[in-house]
Amino acid sequence: MFYLIRHGTADYTEKDTKIYQGFGNQLAPLSAKGIREIETTAADPRLAQARLILSSPYTRALQRGCDR
């Protein structure tokens, strides 16, 4: 089985207060909503048997939802 999962919603408030150019826009972390989205996705039982997970290098794609 093959699943494509999009990263959660990003928080661009730092982008608006700092000068991010080009790839810098991809450094935005997850928003509170994005954290909830990825926690819901991570709990999906279809992913329990995953043998391989590939991720983009974007900050929000690699960020942990919360410390457990």
Side-chain angles (χ1 to χ4, degrees):
M1 193 55 79
F2 183 81
Y3 296 100
L4 293 175
I5 301 170
R6 188 178 185 281
H7 56 73
T9 303
D11 177 357
Y12 289 110
T13 55
E14 284 192 32
K15 176 185 143 302
D16 296 337
T17 61
K18 298 178 181 176
I19 301 173
Y20 286 153
Q21 296 178 0
F23 188 73
N25 285 332
Q26 306 312 329
L27 299 175
L30 290 169
S31 66
K33 176 183 177 185
I35 291 171
R36 288 190 305 273
E37 291 168 344
I38 60 122
E39 287 175 342
T40 298
T41 300
D44 188 313
R46 294 174 292 180
L47 302 178
Q49 300 300 316
R51 296 180 67 199
L52 177 67
I53 296 175
L54 302 174
S55 175
S56 78
Y58 292 176
T59 300
R60 62 189 174 269
L62 300 174
Q63 180 180 342
R64 289 181 63 185
C66 64
D67 292 327
R68 292 183 186 206

